[in-house]
Amino acid sequence: LKTQKDFQEIETCDLEYFKNIIPEEAIFNDLENLEKYGHDETEDYQFKPNLVLKPASADEVSKILVYCNKRSIAVTASGARTGLSGGALPLYGGVALSTENLNRIIKIDEPNLQATVEPGVTNQVFHEACKQKGLFYPPDPSSWGSSFIGGNLALNAGGPKAVKYGVTNAYVLDLEVVLADGAIINTGARVLKNSTGYNLTQLMVGSEGTLGIITKATFRLLPYPKHTMLLLVPFCSAEKACEAVSAIFQGGITPSGMEFMERDAIDYALKFVDNVELPIGEDVQAHLLIEVDGNYPETLMKDCEAIAEIVMNFGASEPLFADNDKDKASLWTLRRRVGEAVKSHSIYKEEDTVVPRAELANLLRSVKALGAKYGFKSVCYGHAGDGNLHVNILKEEMSDKAWAEDLPLAIRELFAVVKALGGTISGEHGIGYVQKEYMDIVFNSVELNLQKEIKKVFDPQGILNPGKVFPQ
Ligand SMILES: Cc1cc2nc3c(=O)[nH]c(=O)nc-3n(C[C@H](O)[C@H](O)[C@H](O)COP(=O)(O)OP(=O)(O)OC[C@H]3O[C@@H](n4cnc5c(N)ncnc54)[C@H](O)[C@@H]3O)c2cc1C
């Protein structure tokens, strides 16, 4: 694996070269921009690039990569930098290649229910553009108002709708990708089934900018569901709330959203978000936010009644039924902003654990037991229907020494539990910079080496997003 010393610093001659291949106004090396592109939403990390480039076409991306590959300059793809695993941090300086100027929705193909889009389009902008034509692009990370389609692809982003509709990879049909040597390739076709050769499309999805730069994507879409119904269900035991999750599916219902929030999570969110008030009983320890969708309100109402009956077996109190768009929007805003609310409290580390959904209660129990053992407070929430629990570990009163030395041991123990429960260490945030040292918990050396060999095939010089994914 390459380290900092294997890469060239950017020199004046490099800058002059880039001015010949992309417009000068797409090149930035002022401190403000270097700092801006030197961090994402992962804790308070800061790794400044030497240069920020904002190409506007695959051809420009290709010219940049041809040059950087020859000169051994590190290139880190940068989307909206909302990532939570430090994937977009330019660890070894070099070029931060921002996709902000690759921001066109190229085509919404209504007869085929497909759309082709560039990576710098914001998820929600794309979602709304499809919706206007009656079409549905389901992957909706809670960061959908800011995160880019390219970043979503590179991390195989999920979101609340994933429980019914699947994550980003379920919608990609074809990608245009620029490889490290500048070659521009297509990985698939605009078809709904494809048994033609190796599946490079799915290899690129989730590859975290280490195998190529995605410059265009074609997605399949669905008809937009006409109605939704939303329930907020209070529980006096967080573990019971987790147990209710799999019972709802076993009861024959597939909700279009099934989110878990511990008491602290919703309390923090209520203080953080303006204009949302919610009466919460003193004994409430957790909530499930459950959405069903479809075209027939009568069917959805029956689903809601069935859900209400099931959750009662797990000690739930009367569900709050959001019966108008304003109330639904308020509840979703609360849920989408929980992460920011929790993190505004303290120095934190966020883990993105995922287990088979029926193991959720066991996972939560283990998190709390480890908190008691190592002396940390955790606030948990997440996409419960997917078995995906975001564990926010708050530093609060923990000493600097315990935070630096004991917490990595606690995280190792937590990840070993996750693995033993049949799960893995990241459901949707990726490995990036902050999880890479734990990869040995989920993959043995044969499995890790296979992945390293794949990296070498695509990027023999190792210029693409160096220092990520693989343990150093
Ligand atoms: C408040 C909040 C809520 C969130 N909720 C969710 C959620 O519900 N579900 C979820 O999955 N995530 C969530 N996230 C995490 C984050 O938003 C997602 O991981 C998102 O997909 C990152 O997109 P981005 O454009 O910000 O990518 P960045 O952070 O800029 O980059 C992420 C990775 O993708 C690579 N990359 C970016 N563009 C390209 C490209 N064109 N080609 C190749 N590689 C590229 C980068 O090098 C990096 O490795 C949340 C984050 C926040 C802050």
Side-chain angles (χ1 to χ4, degrees):
L1 291 174
K2 301 235 163 170
T3 59
Q4 174 93 61
K5 65 176 173 22
D6 298 309
F7 295 99
Q8 297 295 326
E9 286 277 322
I10 291 199
E11 296 169 10
T12 316
C13 62
D14 300 318
L15 193 57
E16 290 310 314
Y17 184 84
F18 289 127
K19 285 182 188 164
N20 290 327
I21 57 175
I22 63 171
E24 211 166 324
E25 54 277 16
I27 302 176
F28 303 84
N29 62 355
D30 57 291
L31 185 61
E32 194 183 334
N33 272 298
L34 299 184
E35 280 179 357
K36 181 172 162 194
Y37 290 84
H39 76 93
D40 62 5
E41 291 293 326
T42 316
E43 302 166 41
D44 55 356
Y45 290 109
Q46 171 73 249
F47 291 90
K48 284 197 288 291
N50 305 126
L51 202 58
V52 180
L53 301 179
K54 298 187 185 178
S57 67
D59 198 42
E60 288 184 358
V61 173
S62 168
K63 287 179 179 150
I64 293 168
L65 290 189
V66 166
Y67 184 75
C68 290
N69 200 39
K70 262 194 220 135
R71 288 266 299 127
S72 282
I73 294 172
V75 179
T76 303
S78 183
R81 299 179 321 285
T82 65
L84 297 171
S85 60
L89 301 172
L91 290 191
Y92 302 147
V95 168
L97 191 152
S98 165
T99 58
E100 273 161 54
N101 289 339
L102 288 157
N103 59 5
R104 291 175 309 148
I105 296 176
I106 294 167
K107 186 176 181 187
I108 298 184
D109 173 1
E110 290 176 75
N112 283 309
L113 279 78
Q114 291 183 12
T116 300
V117 61
E118 290 185 329
V121 175
T122 303
N123 178 299
Q124 194 175 6
V125 168
F126 179 47
H127 179 102
E128 295 297 339
C130 296
K131 188 177 178 183
Q132 273 180 13
K133 300 197 183 289
L135 298 175
F136 185 32
Y137 175 67
D140 62 339
S142 299
S143 57
W144 73 334
S146 47
S147 69
F148 288 174
I149 290 295
N152 294 171
L153 283 161
L155 292 175
N156 197 14
K161 299 271 186 217
V163 60
K164 178 169 177 182
Y165 293 102
V167 298
T168 306
N169 72 346
Y171 295 87
V172 199
L173 303 178
D174 186 24
L175 295 173
E176 179 186 82
V177 180
V178 184
L179 300 181
D181 64 1
I184 302 176
I185 64 158
N186 274 79
T187 61
R190 293 192 302 114
V191 289
L192 297 176
K193 54 203 292 197
N194 190 336
S195 298
T196 319
Y198 291 153
N199 195 335
L200 297 182
T201 308
Q202 294 297 331
L203 179 60
M204 283 295 162
V205 177
S207 65
E208 306 198 20
T210 62
L211 300 182
I213 309 287
I214 297 163
T215 47
K216 209 185 283 174
T218 298
F219 294 103
R220 73 184 179 96
L221 306 169
L222 300 174
Y224 210 95
K226 292 192 174 65
H227 301 280
T228 61
M229 288 187 185
L230 189 62
L231 300 171
L232 184 69
V233 188
F235 291 81
C236 55
S237 151
E239 284 179 25
K240 285 278 171 209
C242 289
E243 284 169 18
V245 171
S246 83
I248 290 169
F249 291 87
Q250 284 185 293
I253 299 153
T254 304
S256 52
M258 168 77 94
E259 300 288 310
F260 168 80
M261 288 173 278
E262 257 194 301
R263 174 70 195 237
D264 278 341
I266 206 157
D267 279 350
Y268 289 170
L270 278 167
K271 282 189 205 133
F272 193 75
V273 175
D274 292 333
N275 301 326
V276 182
E277 282 180 20
L278 207 60
I280 302 182
E282 268 184 19
D283 59 339
V284 172
Q285 289 305 315
H287 286 87
L288 289 179
L289 182 64
I290 307 174
E291 184 195 79
V292 289
D293 73 354
N295 291 340
Y296 304 103
E298 319 81 66
T299 314
L300 300 186
M301 188 50 86
K302 281 190 188 140
D303 281 348
C304 288
E305 284 164 8
I307 290 170
E309 214 174 298
I310 293 168
V311 294
M312 289 305 159
N313 298 331
F314 295 85
S317 317
E318 194 62 37
L320 179 88
F321 188 70
D323 57 359
N324 60 60
D325 288 348
K326 185 170 167 279
D327 288 351
K328 285 180 198 169
S330 295
L331 288 180
W332 275 121
T333 302
L334 264 191
R335 166 57 192 99
R336 286 186 184 279
R337 303 204 63 192
V338 158
E340 293 161 86
V342 172
K343 286 163 192 156
S344 69
H345 266 256
S346 160
I347 294 175
Y348 66 92
K349 277 199 182 292
E350 176 165 355
E351 305 309 337
D352 176 35
T353 53
V354 58
V355 291
R357 97 169 49 102
E359 302 292 350
L360 208 53
N362 283 332
L363 174 59
L364 185 70
R365 212 172 290 127
S366 301
V367 170
K368 298 301 168 187
L370 285 168
K373 176 174 169 187
Y374 286 93
F376 64 76
K377 172 173 173 163
S378 63
V379 180
C380 298
Y381 57 89
H383 312 298
D386 300 329
N388 188 189
L389 193 70
H390 298 319
V391 180
N392 269 267
I393 300 174
L394 304 186
K395 179 164 183 288
E396 291 194 335
E397 307 304 316
M398 229 176 154
S399 71
D400 291 348
K401 187 169 179 293
W403 186 254
E405 292 172 15
D406 300 345
L407 195 61
L409 302 177
I411 293 171
R412 271 205 160 260
E413 253 188 79
L414 170 63
F415 287 167
V417 169
V418 165
K419 166 89 173 163
L421 291 174
T424 192
I425 64 177
S426 175
E428 55 179 24
H429 295 165
I431 296 302
Y433 174 56
V434 293
Q435 314 290 5
K436 63 179 180 170
E437 297 306 333
Y438 303 103
M439 283 284 269
D440 63 305
I441 297 174
V442 280
F443 295 114
N444 66 29
S445 59
V446 177
E447 293 156 351
L448 265 179
N449 282 337
L450 261 179
Q451 298 191 39
K452 285 183 194 163
E453 292 301 319
I454 291 171
K455 163 75 176 168
K456 262 194 232 159
V457 170
F458 279 82
D459 179 19
Q461 309 294 331
I463 61 161
L464 292 177
N465 210 357
K468 305 291 168 58
V469 179
F470 300 110
Q472 212 73 31

